[in-house]
Amino acid sequence: METISIINAKDYVDQKVRIGVWLTNKRSSGKIAFLQLRDGTAYFQGVVVKNNVSEDVFKLAKEVRQEASMYVTGTIHEDTRSHFGYEIEIEDIELVGQSEDYPITPKEHGTDFLMDHRHLWLRSKRQFAIMKIRNEMIRATYEFFNKEGFIKLDSPILTGSAPEGTTELFHTEYFEKDAYLSQSGQLYAEAGAMAYGKVFTFGPTFRAEKSKTRRHLIEFWMIEPEMAFMHQEESLEIQERYIAYLVEKVLENCDYELDILGRDKEVLKRYTQLPYPRISYDDAIKLLQESGKFPDVKWGEDFGSPEETYLAEHFSKPVFVLNYPKAIKPFYMKPHPTREDLVVCADLLAPEGYGEIIGGSERATDPEYLAKQIEDAGLNKADYEWYLDLRRYGSVPHSGFGLGLERAVTWITGEDHIREAIPFPRLLNRIYP
């Protein structure tokens, strides 16, 4: 008799097996007990029939508490009524760890309560599905960029300078010098691109802003590719291929998890169809104004959630908004070749109300222009001399972008709140020890 994982039950139909599990819920109807079980790979049902087991086993099946751990022994059968498709007819139960008064009962709970119990909420079925999809997106990210010839670089988490200004940074001291928790790995990735052509970083980033929207986090994980000898349009093509690849791999490898979440797979399939539409910032402003729904929208302002939602829904798929006003974008972006008031950049807006999932641009290459931009942004030029060196010694056209993993996970899973897409909320409204 083998000890297996639930996910492999399909390979053991009509065979006797042993599985280490936790109990998520149970119900009984007289002489039959139905145990909802999980083991970290999947969820399925265990059936205990009173006439087929000892009195002690049936008594234990009736009395065991939510989240108790145990080994169950029994025979795997097909179960066409469930999402998973299989169940186990239990013959024996070996209790491993008891559980008393588990706080997250099967009833509805508020988000704040669940976040306070995040270490336990991870065990729930929906959280299981979200984290499995998150893991698949991470796996697919490495696969995609490896296939595209990128090298993975690790940028520092403690930095001495800020890519987008210091107002949203967590400040600390590094042996009597100012330091900040990383806001982005981009500047370091640009150095990598000048050495290796195509690179990407993937790591935690921090924003010191007390946002309470369902889209924002203080700490999140960012994928940031940088490509040498590449202009804006080539970068957009990589971005849309990357997003389509993530969606394709989730559809291919997370069918069970998408069923748990009730995600519409036909809608997701639409997001794999390329190319994605493109619209200039100027035309986006006109579209919003002509809709009659945004009387206060003005050229020169960034888009809020309602505007982003309208634009993406107008196209029913992700849409690139191109060339924003220079005044509302970071210092490192390339100036537009014919418009002094614009920069060469693009945001990718996701439909269904999820907003921006990628921000990117072609990077400025003129060291004198960039030095002035740094000073105009109120930053210390001396802190960026190394960054200016990248332009002084063999500068080339280069582009890059950043994708926030948690927001992309929230979109692809169709969840309401971004907080469900991060495993542990270290700096999210509460500090864990």
Side-chain angles (χ1 to χ4, degrees):
M1 180 177 64
E2 290 193 46
T3 299
I4 70 166
S5 298
I6 293 175
I7 197 66
N8 296 323
K10 63 183 184 300
D11 300 322
Y12 293 87
V13 175
D14 297 329
Q15 295 184 47
K16 187 175 180 179
V17 298
R18 183 174 185 252
I19 310 176
V21 297
W22 290 269
L23 178 75
T24 66
N25 203 355
K26 68 179 180 181
R27 63 183 178 87
S28 62
S29 57
K31 297 181 179 180
I32 303 178
F34 300 94
L35 309 183
Q36 303 304 315
L37 307 172
R38 66 174 185 88
D39 72 341
T41 68
Y43 291 69
F44 76 165
Q45 178 172 263
V47 181
V48 186
V49 180
K50 183 176 183 179
N51 293 339
N52 296 341
V53 299
S54 69
E55 288 186 12
D56 288 343
V57 168
F58 193 73
K59 183 173 183 291
L60 181 56
K62 298 268 285 186
E63 295 177 354
V64 67
R65 301 293 185 89
Q66 183 184 3
E67 285 305 317
S69 58
M70 53 195 165
Y71 285 107
V72 295
T73 301
T75 302
I76 300 293
H77 299 301
E78 290 191 31
D79 178 14
T80 57
R81 299 161 299 176
S82 72
H83 286 314
F84 185 68
Y86 302 91
E87 67 180 15
I88 183 170
E89 184 180 348
I90 296 173
E91 301 174 15
D92 189 35
I93 301 173
E94 177 189 343
L95 187 65
V96 176
Q98 188 53 274
S99 173
E100 297 288 343
D101 300 322
Y102 186 69
I104 306 178
T105 58
K107 70 176 185 179
E108 289 291 325
H109 295 279
T111 302
D112 285 342
F113 174 85
L114 292 170
M115 290 308 296
D116 285 336
H117 294 85
R118 182 60 169 166
H119 54 292
L120 301 176
W121 190 25
L122 286 173
R123 303 181 185 191
S124 74
K125 201 170 187 178
R126 291 189 70 84
Q127 293 306 302
F128 162 84
I130 293 167
M131 290 301 131
K132 291 280 281 190
I133 290 171
R134 184 181 193 271
N135 186 68
E136 174 59 22
M137 291 171 63
I138 292 170
R139 188 204 64 78
T141 290
Y142 280 90
E143 186 173 77
F144 176 83
F145 287 112
N146 285 336
K147 286 181 177 180
E148 293 281 338
F150 284 70
I151 287 178
K152 165 72 161 56
L153 293 183
D154 295 315
S155 59
I157 294 176
L158 281 176
T159 68
S161 58
E164 300 185 14
T166 58
T167 57
E168 297 178 359
L169 288 174
F170 286 102
H171 175 264
T172 186
E173 286 191 2
Y174 187 77
F175 300 105
E176 299 181 357
K177 292 184 178 181
D178 287 332
Y180 308 94
L181 288 179
S182 177
Q183 190 183 47
S184 167
Q186 176 205 315
L187 304 190
Y188 298 97
E190 287 189 53
M194 296 305 108
Y196 306 113
K198 293 191 291 188
V199 303
F200 74 103
T201 66
F202 183 17
T205 55
F206 305 85
R207 302 288 167 89
E209 54 180 346
K210 293 183 179 180
S211 174
K212 292 186 180 295
T213 78
R214 68 186 182 94
R215 291 183 177 184
H216 293 88
L217 291 170
I218 290 172
E219 174 190 1
F220 57 98
W221 285 70
M222 183 85 86
I223 297 101
E224 295 181 280
E226 289 289 330
M227 299 82 70
F229 295 100
M230 187 170 290
H231 292 289
Q232 167 89 328
E233 184 55 38
E234 299 166 280
S235 175
L236 298 186
E237 291 171 4
I238 287 181
Q239 292 174 46
E240 63 189 0
R241 289 206 312 272
Y242 171 47
I243 294 297
Y245 192 82
L246 291 181
V247 177
E248 286 170 2
K249 290 305 173 182
V250 169
L251 285 167
E252 181 181 320
N253 298 320
C254 298
D255 188 71
Y256 170 61
E257 290 78 13
L258 291 171
D259 282 343
I260 289 174
L261 297 173
R263 187 64 162 119
D264 190 331
K265 298 170 195 172
E266 294 304 314
V267 170
L268 288 177
K269 288 176 184 176
R270 189 165 70 230
Y271 305 150
T272 67
Q273 300 167 5
L274 300 179
Y276 293 153
R278 286 133 166 85
I279 183 173
S280 70
Y281 173 88
D282 288 349
D283 288 341
I285 288 290
K286 291 177 184 177
L287 183 62
L288 292 168
Q289 290 173 338
E290 291 171 359
S291 73
K293 298 181 178 181
F294 304 95
D296 297 327
V297 70
K298 297 181 181 64
W299 194 97
E301 297 177 349
D302 206 354
F303 298 128
S305 175
E307 292 85 1
E308 289 181 344
T309 297
Y310 180 85
L311 291 169
E313 288 304 306
H314 179 79
F315 294 96
S316 300
K317 61 195 307 186
V319 56
F320 286 109
V321 179
L322 310 178
N323 304 334
Y324 282 71
K326 177 180 177 180
I328 62 174
K329 287 296 182 181
F331 68 85
Y332 49 74
M333 294 185 176
K334 179 181 177 179
H336 193 278
T338 62
R339 294 265 304 270
E340 290 186 0
D341 56 346
L342 300 180
V343 286
V344 181
C345 67
D347 287 350
L348 182 63
L349 309 182
E352 303 180 81
Y354 291 93
E356 177 195 339
I357 53 172
I358 284 181
S361 75
E362 192 165 337
R363 312 312 192 189
T365 56
D366 184 332
E368 292 183 4
Y369 169 84
L370 197 54
K372 185 176 186 307
Q373 290 300 109
I374 290 170
E375 291 174 349
D376 288 349
L379 302 172
N380 183 358
K381 180 173 171 285
D383 292 337
Y384 295 85
E385 286 297 330
W386 68 272
Y387 186 64
L388 294 171
D389 279 349
L390 305 179
R391 277 72 179 169
R392 294 173 179 134
Y393 306 112
S395 183
V396 300
H398 61 290
S399 300
F401 62 93
L403 174 136
L405 176 65
E406 284 74 24
R407 190 178 292 182
V409 171
T410 307
W411 167 54
I412 289 178
T413 59
E415 289 303 288
D416 290 333
H417 207 298
I418 195 171
R419 287 191 288 184
E420 298 185 32
I422 190 167
F424 296 104
R426 288 180 289 276
L427 292 175
L428 177 62
N429 299 334
R430 49 186 61 81
I431 303 295
Y432 270 41

